[in-house]
Amino acid sequence: MTEPLVIGFETSCDETGVGVVRGHTLLADALATSVAEHERFGGVVPEIASRAHLEAMVPTVHRALAEAGVAPSDVDAVAVTAGPGLTGALLVGLAAAKAYALALDKPLYGVNHLAAHVAVDELQHGRLAEPSLALLVSGGHSSLLLVPDLAREVTPLGRTIDDAAGEAFDKVARVLGMPFPGGPPIDRAAREGDPAAIDFPRGLTGPRDAPYDVSFSGLKTAVARWVEARRRAGEPVPVADVAASFQEAVADVLTAKAVRACRDHGVDHLVLGGGVAANSRLRALAEERCAAAGIVLRVPSPRLCTDNGAMVAALGSRLVAAGVAPSAPDLGADSSLPVETVSR
Amino acid sequence: MLVLALDTATPTLVAGVARRSAAGDAEVLAERAVPSGNRHAELLVPTVREVLAAAGLALADVDVVVAGLGPGPFTGLRVGVVTAAALADARGVPAVGVCSLDAVGSGARTVVTDARRREVYWAAYDAEGARVDGPGVVRPEEAGLTGPLVGDPRFAERLGAPVEPAEVTTAGLLHAAAGPLADPSSAGPLVPLYLRRPDAVPPTSFKPVTTA
Ligand SMILES: [Zn+2]
């Protein structure tokens, strides 16, 4: 028997993603993005994202099916991000997925966006070791998860208490006069800089702080203060050093906490995910520290780290294989869907 | 020709199936109007299932999908529009969009519906039922709308005239879609009638965190 063909819909933020997988095999990953329309606002504008999702939806489905070389009637199951994310954006993908499931008479799985970020790695590196630890960092989330069973049980260990890691990148980029989103330009500028040039604070790393939570608000403010002080004094701002030192602080805190969580929970597999996992310094430092600690590190390619439909299809495929019950017909979106809810 | 019609431009979700004759006469076979508030995404597909079952039909029997394009509160409106687009796409049948206000009441009238933010959506129709003005969005006090008002009666006081209660109906949606239904290949893309731009203001300059 061939493995089930699953189509996945993702619209939780500004990417309209439709992916197709068969088992753990990636067949298509069609993406449309409204990122350029948000640039002048310095962040994602929910209404602009929602309008763009609606416009892109059917054409993106067509591209995904064509890329996969399958017909709609070949689809065995439909998966969709049910949360967390922007409500208006989520609802476009949810309504579309429900309609395709109805029209194709196939089961529908409303899935958790965060668990999908973990599942996508199975498309590149095969079945996940269970338990694994997952570090998910993007403009929308910063979470440390324990994953005993990707289809049924995901436990949050820590998360950001203020800004997401990606937001800190966006804000620091703005202070330095770089475009939105801030991750790629900071990563580029940092290559020419000295990561030890400025000793920016590492939030929540004191002995009495929550061991797995993170905080980037203080770091972001410290960078802005440092840069503004330079400007007020009429001195040039060493952009590369600021970028490298800021990036180092983020990578240092995240990887230290992830490795500690692995040790504390006796887990020897770590998965990275989310847009910030595309950051070169985070990847390098994670490799270094995992190697030293005897942890197997799994990082999807940058394209699959950011939001896409394939990750949703990958989790859907996992749910089908595990025999998890499909969603009820009155499935809705939940902008703050708890990470423990893998599917609903 | 079997038509599936749906609308989510107002707090009442409407789904219906109708048979349309070659002469253009419509017979509504089943219809549901669900006061779903902001739960359109949850309830629309179950409601479509219900009306199809009530008519003893399957989605595979549907020849064309008609969708209300608003104006209406954006988040709920998009649920109906994308559902219609996806159903039609998956079944390989055409989708036809109509102005939702056209599907409220009949004859000479001015239709008003809730646009939130203390405003109404409106459109005016002549005795033949053809839209002659609108759709627009306006504060009721400044509307100066004439003719018999129909639609959302909660605005009567602020409009200074009675509003005869009326909602979107399946028959109204089919009537509004008469032109494109006669030739579905003439239907344009399903683009919602937003009437308002997204609320978003570009930051003028970066706000310093330090107060010097
Ligand atoms: Zn994400």
Side-chain angles (χ1 to χ4, degrees):
Chain A
M1 191 189 115
T2 57
E3 292 178 292
L5 187 79
V6 182
I7 185 166
F9 292 77
E10 155 62 35
T11 62
S12 67
C13 192
D14 59 339
E15 318 280 355
T16 311
V18 180
V20 181
V21 307
R22 190 183 288 286
H24 288 166
T25 307
L26 173 64
L27 300 183
D29 171 23
L31 202 65
T33 179
S34 59
V35 66
E37 296 173 61
H38 305 288
E39 179 167 359
R40 68 195 182 98
F41 301 104
V44 173
V45 179
E47 177 59 23
I48 292 177
S50 301
R51 290 185 184 194
H53 285 310
L54 175 56
E55 229 171 274
M57 184 50 67
V58 170
T60 308
V61 170
H62 288 185
R63 273 169 46 217
L65 293 172
E67 198 180 312
V70 299
S73 55
D74 297 332
V75 169
D76 295 306
V78 178
V80 60
T81 299
L86 304 167
T87 300
L90 286 167
L91 286 175
V92 177
L94 182 89
K98 289 179 78 167
Y100 279 106
L102 170 68
L104 303 173
D105 196 19
K106 298 299 175 192
L108 173 75
Y109 295 84
V111 308
N112 189 300
H113 178 86
L114 295 176
H117 268 303
V118 182
V120 77
D121 188 64
E122 296 199 326
L123 302 178
Q124 282 190 311
H125 303 117
R127 177 111 184 170
L128 198 73
E130 287 170 330
S132 272
L133 220 110
L135 172 63
L136 304 181
V137 274
S138 76
H141 18 273
S142 303
S143 300
L144 205 47
L145 312 175
L146 181 63
V147 188
D149 176 354
L150 182 53
R152 291 191 174 87
E153 191 185 355
V154 174
T155 310
L157 297 180
R159 60 189 186 90
T160 179
I161 61 163
D162 40 55
D163 295 351
E167 276 179 274
F169 273 87
D170 293 339
K171 286 171 186 169
V172 166
R174 241 168 82 193
V175 169
L176 294 174
M178 295 169 175
F180 170 86
I186 286 183
D187 200 345
R188 265 194 305 278
R191 276 174 218 155
E192 314 295 323
D194 175 4
I198 309 151
D199 189 18
F200 286 130
R202 269 67 168 161
L204 292 185
T205 50
R208 275 194 295 269
D209 288 328
Y212 312 126
D213 282 345
V214 291
S215 161
F216 296 108
S217 178
L219 169 61
K220 166 198 80 186
T221 308
V223 174
R225 274 181 204 279
W226 195 93
V227 170
E228 282 161 23
R230 279 283 180 130
R231 285 192 182 131
R232 257 202 312 279
E235 294 168 35
V237 176
V239 170
D241 285 349
V242 173
S245 300
F246 159 73
Q247 183 173 282
E248 189 67 19
V250 174
D252 180 23
V253 170
L254 288 172
T255 55
K257 296 218 171 206
V259 167
R260 175 171 173 185
C262 284
R263 280 216 187 97
D264 291 354
H265 290 84
V267 175
D268 58 3
H269 281 74
L270 174 65
V271 188
L272 296 193
V276 178
N279 179 270
S280 64
R281 182 55 188 154
L282 179 67
R283 293 168 91 101
L285 195 55
E287 265 164 42
E288 200 180 293
R289 288 181 170 171
C290 282
I295 297 165
V296 177
L297 177 68
R298 295 175 42 149
V299 192
S301 65
R303 161 83 190 218
L304 292 180
C305 279
T306 49
D307 293 350
N308 60 77
M311 65 192 234
V312 179
L315 181 53
S317 170
R318 201 27 140 76
L319 296 171
V320 173
V324 172
S327 302
D330 66 346
L331 174 69
D334 181 351
S335 61
S336 52
L337 185 66
V339 66
E340 294 94 324
T341 309
V342 177
S343 64
R344 64 198 296 249
Chain B
M1 172 192 273
L2 196 76
V3 184
L4 170 68
L6 43 94
D7 186 275
T8 58
T10 73
T12 301
L13 176 169
V14 175
V17 280
R19 198 175 301 283
R20 186 176 183 278
S21 72
D25 301 317
E27 180 201 354
V28 176
L29 304 175
E31 179 175 33
R32 294 278 184 281
V34 183
S36 101
N38 57 5
R39 299 189 69 228
H40 292 332
E42 285 92 327
L43 301 179
L44 180 54
V45 159
T47 307
V48 169
R49 277 183 192 279
E50 250 180 71
V51 292
L52 287 168
L57 295 163
L59 197 62
D61 301 321
V62 170
D63 299 305
V64 58
V65 180
V66 171
L69 299 179
F74 306 153
T75 299
L77 173 61
R78 271 189 290 264
V79 167
V81 175
V82 78
T83 299
L87 287 175
D89 180 56
R91 297 301 325 163
V93 300
V96 169
V98 299
C99 172
S100 299
L101 301 176
D102 295 0
V104 180
S106 62
R109 70 209 189 270
T110 297
V111 176
V112 290
T113 61
D114 189 358
R116 301 199 181 151
R117 303 181 189 186
R118 303 187 53 75
E119 293 186 316
V120 289
Y121 293 119
W122 67 274
Y125 300 82
D126 67 15
E128 271 71 56
R131 177 154 32 93
V132 290
D133 203 0
V137 58
V138 70
R139 284 176 54 83
E141 293 81 359
E142 295 153 16
L145 299 175
T146 55
L149 301 177
V150 306
D152 193 330
R154 291 174 304 164
F155 292 96
E157 193 179 325
R158 294 178 54 214
L159 286 159
V163 179
E164 190 191 323
E167 297 196 321
V168 174
T169 63
T170 300
L173 289 167
L174 260 84
H175 184 74
L181 283 177
D183 175 17
S185 68
S186 71
L190 295 189
V191 180
L193 296 162
Y194 288 118
L195 305 193
R196 285 186 186 128
R197 299 161 72 85
D199 285 325
V201 195
T204 44
S205 66
F206 184 75
K207 198 159 89 244
V209 295
T210 45
T211 45

